[in-house]
Amino acid sequence: MIETKRLKEKLAGKIRFPEDISTKRTLIGAVVRSPIDHGEIRNIKIPEIPEDICLITASDIPGANKISVPGGSMPLLARKEVTYRGEAVLLAAGPDRETLDLFLEKIEIDYDPLPEWKYSEEKEETAGPARRIIKGDPVEALEQSAFKVESAFSTPLQRHLATPLLSVHVKTEGQKFTISSSTQWPTNVIQNCSAVTGVSRANFSIKLNPLGTPLDSKIWMPSLVAAQAALLAQKSRKPVSLSYSAEETLLCSPMRIPVRFHCEAGLDESGKLQALLMDFQIDTGSHAMLTSEILDRICIGTAGVYQCRNIKVTGLAYRSNKPPLGAFSGMGLSQAFFAVESLTDMLIARFIEQQKKDIERLIAEAVAAGDDNKLKSARTRTTTDPAIWRSRNFLIKGNTYLSGGKLMKSPPLDTVLEKLVSSSDFTRKHAAFSNALSKREKNGGSSFARKGIGLATAYMGSNFLRRERGLFSATVIGRLDKEGRLNLTTSSVPDNYALLKLWRQSAADILGIEESMVDISSDEENQIPLAGPATLSRNITVTTRLVSQACEQIKKRRFRDPLPLVVKKTYQNSSSRKWDTEKFAGHPFQELSWGGCVVEIEIDEMTFSPVVRKVWYSIDCGIILNRDSALAEVESETMQALGWCFNEDPERIRYWKLPGIDSLPEIHIDFTESSSRTANALGGIVLNTFPAAFRNALSQAAQSQFTSLPVRPEDIFTALEDR
Amino acid sequence: MNIICNVNGKEVAVETRPDKKLSAVLRDDLNLKGIRKGCGTGRCGSCLILLDDQLVASCLVPAFAARHKSIVTIEGFSQTKEFSDIVTGFKEAGVHLCSYCAPARVLSTAYMLRKHIMPTEEQINDIISSVQCRCSSFSHLKKGIIQASIHFSRRKDNG
Amino acid sequence: MAKLNRPPVIYSPTTIQDLLKIYHLNPDALIYAGGTGLLSGAEGDILHIRGSVINIAGVEELKKINRTDRYLELGASVPVSKVIDLGKSIVPEALYIALKQMGPPQIRNMATIGGNICRQANTMDIFPILHLHDCQVELRRFREYRSPRRFLKGSGSKWIPVSRLIDNDGKIIMESGEILTRIRIPNENWTFESYRKIDGPGSPLIFTALARLDKHILTDIRLSYSTVREKLIRNRDLEAEMIGRRVPFSGRDLTLLEGKLEAYFKGTGESSFTTARASALTIQFLEKISEPVDEGRV
């Protein structure tokens, strides 16, 4: 019933966002931004400031002029140098938009443009975090390899207009501030507002508004917007509403980090992976925020899901004049798996090619010798295929991560792959398409459609690698009152009724009370000082567990201790799965989900566009909490992935097209619930597998290796022309 | 400029700049916050309304163009029985929408079902394209719209 | 930050006569019909229209749809969705397909036929179809006639082929104070019509084609291509070469035609990618018209 009521409210548009809050006293805020990519502020000419206008420059900030996250920071207002178009230079608030605009029009800011930051190893100003990890002797092992492949890969940035647009409302009462925000990270909003205003954290409280579909673009940006509004509220002593326009939201929002890879790999004669050398650079934008986390995740991801004794990974981040870039689904793993799974496919193709040559040679020898037995045995020899090769090389129990931690049990990759291959008929189709295409090329005709089928396998790690409490931990406070009503307070509340219902159901089951007696709310009173953001499936994997733990404890104590009873459960670093960020050592992920994807593609030879006909997934993410939601999530992530791989043009800021319903392929999903008795990350599995499977399928269809995303029709045309 | 129009069944008069976006007039001057601020180019569909029974993006309509017209927003539509049909249909199909685009999805579905009570797949796909949001699964939405159409027609049949 | 300016003056004529007179007196005014053209890029809550606006939404005459045996006549401010609602049996197939592809329903409800033609950026959408169909447009302007006895006031009206509406650079040619009021689409029976707009990633291309067959003889064919560089590419020599031929085309004929088309396209300076796309679309059309004709079809 609660869900129906909430659904009705949602569909009737009754849910409110910060931009909807307004009172007569509320001032409207605005940000004056840099119109150039890189430059020095020469002069700011401010006219006489009317009484009803409040203006803030970098030097007016009472606290720290920066927004921080563990491992990174960016300025709140540019003081001397602007490092990206759209960077905030001044803040202002006025009684209404028109009065404010009239004043802002008179402000003159002169800039001396500076050259754009271009990546170069020598330039210190553009250097960001870096990693170099070596396992075994990869250079020697590559040298000794029977088959070698070398290739560059690149993945583009991905934009997202995250609605609700960035907005915040800050109410002041004396020294107290109440912030309304749609944020993935409420504790970070408070931390930063406190730091910039110089006011103690205890004076801040936060009201959470729903998030929409942020795709991780609202991890730290709402903290910046809130801090800007808090400063204006502090100075004007009035409530302030600061809402970014669509243009501003797009200009400043974090985007998916683009990555360039250079990869080499080698197999021995039997096809075993001997050496893997992965070198990559990521563009972090003007400032590194969660970059070191993303960098480390890419390092781990590029080692793939295969046994290999000799691996070298070198990664570095460099700064550019884009806004600080962000995470998005997979938080780096998507880019890493695109590279390593594409490279794997190339390697397998080389191996198959050699196997075919060997068979041809054996046949020729047998024919020449007139040996029927040899001929028979040569003819019955088969080549491997991308699925068989993978199943022979998957990681197993006892193998180590790149960071040294041992896998405590064998990943369920075999099961995942088996289901995937059987439902998609991969092996037969892969061979059939190859044969049809080679016949077509030999005959010079076009009777066969250009079809391809591609496969990729990967994992998704939930939660952060860095174990700082402010990033990694989560807290649930359970309070059972005298009337038997349970209130669960979490550091963030998801805009997902299925998950809320599940928490409510789980609490009601444990305590044997009616679901209607369970309330779930966000932490408005600032009782949870440190918690990480709602990302990386933390709500599903961490908070769900904490809800159960808190309720179990209440159950034990409720007849012993007087009511009201308050229990606080905080998620801590596991003692058995330790991670050392400094040394890049230990168990990187608390929980892993495993998955595979097969993509079937046909090239439309009139438009040179890839048409994704069918997609199959096999996913083991532990217990599926809500099947309908899970299916919907896989479908919407597939469309995101398709956009990243093909439809979305990263160069177009405003008018790019998202893939529409006409691009929706037939999707088959198989969930395996065998490997874990808990719910693990589902979000990210699609983005970690689909792109490489897409590329592998397209490369088969065009009989040419594509190495960059997005693949454009022009690229396909050129590839076909070159053949 | 004084704009007189009918909003959700009531005559209203608003004093505003003629070139103010209708979406802003409805949100700021008439406090109808179910209209969301979106892309500002008419594509994302966050600000959909019915203007003289036609589905339009209110961010593309200047205030002067709304004079003497009839406007229905989600606030008005949610008082109808048709709204309940859509809620039931979406619930049955397990449609998950974000709170931001949800009202626009409802209004666009209603617009289509009023035109085509038993819609074809093409008509359903077409109306789904009126809102661009990454939150929803197309196949769930499709099911939800079909379910809603069943409730719509059942109610119409029952008079 | 957007510069504030004074609110625009809004004129809301209800008759064509008033509209023409107001436009005559305010030739720089912005004509507002559906509004889709006003707003691309308007940041914030105010559209910041300068000067004056003539809102033609109240001119009923411009919203009329008229059908005769010889043509379908659309008033300039008929919304795109209204034309679609007429159905495939009334609206030429290529036009119907093009209009359906013109954005999501809310855009089609607002956009008008006349607006689409007059907005230069959009002429790629339906212009080639109207051109191939030999459509005519009516242009009207306010005119004062001097007669010896008294002043006679009236409006000057002229019908011109739609092709004369744009110059060689693809820009709309209309005189000051002139308004496009009606579009006339001849009722002609084309056996095949095709419209393909490729506007996904990559350079956009529009291909429009009409063909008429009589007992397996191609009696007329018209092909047009619109690219970013050229609003309208039409090779009448190639069309003339095909007219009178028997279908199906032989493989050899198709290869020859493809070669000629590619050579022509390259001559226009288009990339080999666009050339390949245009050529593939053309060959597909020629193959389609070679298939047995469905008798129920016109």
Side-chain angles (χ1 to χ4, degrees), chain C residues 126-151:
Chain C
I126 61 168
F127 194 86
I129 307 167
L130 301 179
H131 171 83
L132 292 193
H133 272 283
D134 287 336
C135 293
Q136 302 253 324
V137 289
E138 184 193 43
L139 300 179
R140 290 176 73 170
R141 59 192 293 211
F142 184 78
R143 196 173 278 168
E144 285 184 350
Y145 299 96
R146 276 180 186 274
S147 99
R149 286 192 200 153
R150 56 192 168 104
F151 285 110

Side-chain angles (χ1 to χ4, degrees), chain C residues 8 18 29 74 99 119 166 173 185 217 220 248 257 261 288 293:
Chain C
D18 288 352
L74 303 170
L99 296 178
R119 278 195 65 211
I166 59 167
I173 332 166
I185 307 162
I217 303 293
D220 201 355
L257 283 169
L261 186 75
K288 187 176 121 189
V293 182

Side-chain angles (χ1 to χ4, degrees), chain A residues 563-576:
Chain A
L563 296 177
L565 192 63
V566 179
V567 162
K568 193 171 176 181
K569 279 281 164 196
T570 297
Y571 189 75
Q572 308 273 15
N573 194 358
S574 139
S575 54
S576 59

Side-chain angles (χ1 to χ4, degrees), chain C residues 163-193:
Chain C
S163 54
R164 275 182 42 208
L165 204 58
I166 59 167
D167 64 13
N168 288 339
D169 299 327
K171 286 194 182 134
I172 294 280
I173 332 166
M174 273 162 74
E175 287 178 36
S176 170
E178 207 163 41
I179 278 182
L180 191 153
T181 47
R182 282 182 287 180
I183 299 105
R184 200 174 271 175
I185 307 162
N187 281 342
E188 291 177 320
N189 286 336
W190 290 94
T191 328
F192 290 98
E193 292 195 34

Side-chain angles (χ1 to χ4, degrees), chain A residues 309-525:
Chain A
R309 288 175 193 279
N310 307 293
I311 305 177
K312 182 177 139 196
V313 177
T314 46
L316 66 86
Y318 63 91
R319 294 170 68 193
S320 72
N321 298 118
K322 297 187 184 83
L325 299 182
F328 274 47
S329 222
M331 207 169 279
L333 289 180
S334 309
Q335 292 93 324
F337 279 115
F338 170 73
V340 71
E341 282 294 289
S342 300
L343 182 75
T344 304
D345 235 53
M346 287 182 178
L347 205 52
I348 299 167
R350 277 276 289 112
F351 186 57
I352 295 174
E353 208 178 290
Q354 187 57 46
Q355 283 182 320
K356 279 183 182 161
K357 277 186 193 157
D358 286 347
I359 293 172
E360 277 167 23
R361 183 177 45 81
L362 287 172
I363 292 174
E365 279 171 12
V367 169
D371 187 334
D372 278 356
N373 285 341
K374 266 193 179 168
L375 187 63
K376 216 176 180 179
S377 109
R379 280 197 172 141
T380 50
R381 278 179 78 143
T382 53
T383 57
T384 186
D385 91 337
I388 299 166
W389 186 92
R390 280 178 168 85
S391 71
R392 286 183 187 154
N393 288 277
F394 279 143
L395 288 167
I396 53 167
K397 182 181 173 183
N399 289 154
T400 54
Y401 292 105
L402 186 62
S403 51
K406 261 192 187 164
L407 270 89
M408 296 174 193
K409 54 182 180 180
S410 285
L413 282 164
D414 275 328
T415 324
V416 160
L417 188 69
E418 207 174 292
K419 286 188 173 177
L420 196 58
V421 167
S422 111
S423 61
S424 63
D425 196 10
F426 177 83
T427 302
R428 188 194 63 80
K429 281 182 182 166
H430 190 265
F433 293 168
S434 279
N435 282 341
L437 288 166
S438 63
K439 262 186 203 161
R440 172 182 164 148
E441 296 207 342
K442 268 181 204 154
N443 300 340
S446 58
S447 51
F448 298 109
R450 280 203 170 271
K451 282 189 184 174
I453 191 161
L455 167 67
T457 42
Y459 57 74
M460 179 61 202
S462 58
N463 216 339
F464 288 90
L465 298 176
R466 297 176 77 101
R467 305 282 152 98
E468 282 105 319
R469 273 193 71 188
L471 200 60
F472 183 79
S473 83
T475 298
V476 168
I477 302 170
R479 185 178 189 277
L480 187 70
D481 66 18
K482 285 178 184 164
E483 285 75 41
R485 224 182 157 76
L486 177 74
N487 188 285
L488 294 169
T489 305
T490 70
S491 46
S492 72
V493 171
D495 183 20
N496 179 339
Y497 295 154
L499 190 55
L500 286 174
K501 185 173 170 53
L502 188 107
W503 289 352
R504 198 173 287 118
Q505 259 174 353
S506 148
D509 283 351
I510 293 170
L511 293 172
I513 57 176
E514 290 291 316
E515 268 181 57
S516 57
M517 295 295 278
V518 183
D519 295 322
I520 300 170
S521 57
S522 59
D523 174 29
E524 292 188 356
E525 302 306 317

Side-chain angles (χ1 to χ4, degrees), chain B residues 1 17-24 28 37 40-45 48 53-65 67 69 111 115-116 122-123 126-127 129-131, chain C residues 4-10 12 32 34-36 38-50 53-55 57 81-82 85 96 100 102-110:
Chain B
M1 187 179 201
R17 266 180 79 111
D19 56 349
K20 187 168 176 177
K21 290 178 179 177
L22 182 58
S23 53
D28 303 344
K37 284 183 181 177
T41 65
R43 290 265 162 185
C44 77
L48 292 178
D53 296 327
Q54 294 297 308
L55 188 73
V56 299
S58 59
C59 71
L60 293 188
V61 181
F64 69 79
R67 279 177 84 186
K69 299 232 170 168
Y111 166 74
K115 263 179 108 173
H116 315 285
E122 192 192 346
Q123 285 158 349
D126 188 40
I127 207 63
S129 74
S130 63
V131 179
Chain C
L4 284 178
N5 55 298
R6 283 185 21 208
V9 178
I10 312 292
S12 303
Y32 174 87
T36 51
L38 261 185
L39 309 125
S40 47
E43 204 178 326
D45 292 340
I46 311 287
L47 296 164
H48 301 287
I49 306 168
R50 286 169 194 276
V53 176
I54 307 173
N55 177 8
S81 57
K82 280 261 158 56
D85 287 346
Y96 182 83
K100 284 206 90 167
M102 203 180 280
Q106 66 267 29
I107 300 290
R108 302 197 304 259
N109 282 340
M110 301 172 80

